[in-house]
Amino acid sequence: MSQNPFSPTIDFLGVFDSLSEEDYAAWQRAHSFREDCLPIINDAWQKSEYPLGLVGRLGELDLLSDGLPVPGKDKDSELAAGLMLMEVTRADASMGTVIAVQGGLAMRSIDMLGSQEQKDKYLPAMAKGELLGAFGLTEPDHGSDSVALETTAVRDGDEFVLNGEKKWIGNGASGGITIIYARTEDGDVSGFIVPQNTPGYNAEVIEGKLSLRAIHQAHIKLEDVRIPVANQLPGARTFKDTSRVLKATRIGVAWMALGSALACYEKAREYVLERQQFGRELAKAQIIQQRLSNMVVDLSQMMLTCREVTTRDAAGTLQPEQASLAKLHNTRAARRIASDARDMLGGVGILLENDIARHFADVEAMHTYEGTDTVQSLIMGKKITGFSAYK
């Protein structure tokens, strides 16, 4: 077994004391990415520019697969995938979202629902960052109720004709492919691999975001988009198939929330140890020590949650409501930590150069995407009461 990647001032309970050498090496790859990311990310975030060079670097370091089996490469464990996603997000949540979109959603759709031919054709290039992938589920009028999607796919000979709109689609206007989920003529939901240069595929980058500004999301309009029947994902026949993909990505968001929370805690601790107020270090103040202790309590619970749901996912025993609990708990806790950290830095806490403001804003997006706080609560509530609150 390897050493714990965290200091005792972070991992009080030693949650990650027992990492295998392989999992620790995977975490180290992600840690090395921070050196490439941190010098340029604040500038990209401020300008709302998508640094595709960093996406390529993620591919070079084999950080994009999110633990999926990819033809021609070794598979990382589920724990390694979580640690890598956490560590990249610890540097920047936009880059963590790249992994969540590329590996967690687009590649996972092909891996879980695609044919072997589709896996062989697309996954190796996507794992290397040579081909960008997007996940087209959310629509302008259907976010939390994405099961009610209105995009259609009509069979016409050897082709499907797609019409509709998608919104908030990461990588949707960045070149590559988009997995479009659409309703077929029998009323069920299926998935389709759509190259973004297909005629009728029109995508615009959404402007004016205050979160995740270093990755682009798109508003897509599909107007008589024709794709071969061979581009349909054979395993995507109902919305339950789509939900299998979403269950896995909710664990990923829990790991991402942990990454941003760690970054905020570390910056706050570093600041109060150096900052002098009223003739002494801020760290000597009782209220500061109490706030740091509260952060560590939250971090410990987040770590335990991530490790437990990841263990269950690897064993094939994870239930949807458990993934919902992890996503809900960790994004709430990350919000608390980011807010406290920003406050502890005073006025300089709003400066991008101190990183916290960026994480503070990005956590708001995590709190919403892959299912809002309310949706996760209702998934849990159905399990608790036996009644669905969706109807």
Side-chain angles (χ1 to χ4, degrees):
M1 294 294 178
S2 66
Q3 65 186 33
N4 192 315
F6 302 113
S7 73
T9 60
I10 296 175
D11 187 0
F12 263 53
L13 296 179
V15 176
F16 296 111
D17 280 351
S18 57
L19 295 182
S20 69
E21 294 292 343
E22 293 79 12
D23 290 346
Y24 182 77
W27 176 81
Q28 286 279 31
R29 295 205 312 271
H31 186 70
S32 71
F33 175 76
R34 289 166 57 87
E35 299 176 2
D36 301 302
C37 181
L38 290 177
I40 66 174
I41 197 62
N42 278 332
D43 186 58
W45 196 94
Q46 184 172 9
K47 295 176 180 177
S48 194
E49 294 177 348
Y50 190 9
L52 290 175
L54 287 180
V55 179
R57 184 60 178 151
L58 288 170
E60 291 172 2
L61 291 170
D62 194 16
L63 299 174
L64 287 173
S65 301
D66 200 35
L68 298 173
V70 175
K73 68 176 288 295
D74 293 333
K75 180 186 179 302
D76 293 307
S77 72
E78 286 80 357
L79 179 57
L83 287 166
M84 290 188 287
L85 183 55
M86 173 205 70
E87 188 63 20
V88 170
T89 308
R90 193 176 176 188
D92 177 65
S94 292
M95 293 298 102
T97 301
V98 171
I99 299 174
V101 170
Q102 181 85 354
L105 290 169
M107 292 177 64
R108 180 164 276 107
S109 292
I110 296 172
D111 174 68
M112 294 181 70
L113 308 176
S115 66
Q116 189 59 52
E117 182 180 357
Q118 290 167 341
K119 296 175 188 179
D120 293 339
K121 180 177 180 180
Y122 294 107
L123 293 184
M126 295 175 77
K128 295 176 184 176
E130 297 170 352
L131 176 68
L132 291 180
F135 180 83
L137 177 62
T138 304
E139 298 181 351
D141 296 326
H142 301 287
S144 295
D145 66 337
S146 55
V147 66
L149 60 83
E150 297 179 40
T151 299
T152 60
V154 178
R155 178 77 178 260
D156 183 18
D158 293 332
E159 296 179 318
F160 277 97
V161 182
L162 276 58
N163 282 282
E165 294 186 45
K166 299 293 181 181
K167 195 171 184 181
W168 298 111
I169 309 305
N171 283 342
S174 302
I177 60 172
T178 302
I179 311 300
I180 295 289
Y181 286 89
R183 197 168 298 282
T184 56
E185 293 169 279
D186 59 8
D188 284 329
V189 173
S190 190
F192 303 86
I193 301 171
V194 181
Q196 293 179 12
N197 60 359
T198 304
Y201 181 103
N202 302 299
E204 293 184 359
V205 173
I206 296 172
E207 304 287 351
K209 292 190 304 172
L210 292 179
S211 294
L212 301 177
R213 290 170 55 83
I215 180 177
H216 288 161
Q217 279 84 27
H219 183 174
I220 301 168
K221 294 182 180 180
L222 305 163
E223 300 175 355
D224 293 330
V225 173
R226 290 182 170 270
I227 58 166
V229 170
N231 282 30
Q232 183 180 25
L233 300 177
R237 296 301 183 184
T238 70
F239 192 77
K240 288 184 178 180
D241 297 320
T242 312
S243 296
R244 290 167 51 209
V245 178
L246 295 175
K247 182 179 75 171
T249 59
R250 284 169 182 158
I251 303 173
V253 180
W255 279 104
M256 292 180 65
L258 174 58
S260 281
L262 283 166
C264 291
Y265 164 76
E266 290 173 301
K267 181 62 70 170
R269 179 178 179 273
E270 174 188 326
Y271 179 82
V272 299
L273 286 170
E274 297 176 354
R275 177 68 169 171
Q276 298 278 330
Q277 288 285 278
F278 304 105
R280 62 176 185 170
E281 294 88 348
L282 267 180
K284 292 181 178 178
Q286 291 180 359
I287 187 61
I288 293 296
Q289 292 194 11
Q290 182 185 41
R291 293 171 87 171
L292 288 173
S293 297
N294 288 342
M295 289 181 181
V296 168
V297 169
D298 271 337
L299 285 172
S300 297
Q301 293 172 334
M302 294 169 80
M303 291 176 183
L304 287 166
T305 297
C306 281
R307 185 131 202 193
E308 177 63 22
V309 295
T310 301
T311 298
R312 289 178 176 273
D313 186 40
T317 61
L318 182 72
Q319 300 302 309
E321 60 272 10
Q322 294 170 332
S324 291
L325 184 152
K327 197 269 184 183
L328 179 150
H329 174 272
N330 280 19
T331 56
R332 285 182 181 177
R335 263 181 155 183
R336 291 192 294 267
I337 291 173
S339 179
D340 252 359
R342 206 250 17 108
D343 188 56
M344 288 165 67
L345 265 69
V348 300
I350 68 171
L351 297 177
L352 281 178
E353 67 187 47
N354 289 317
D355 296 331
I356 289 176
R358 172 166 48 83
H359 285 285
F360 183 96
D362 289 344
V363 165
E364 288 302 298
M366 287 183 222
H367 194 64
T368 299
Y369 66 23
E370 303 309 321
T372 64
D373 185 280
T374 301
V375 167
Q376 308 304 336
S377 297
L378 295 182
I379 292 172
M380 294 173 62
K382 182 179 179 180
K383 178 66 176 181
I384 294 167
T385 67
F387 296 106
S388 172
Y390 293 110
K391 300 177 181 178

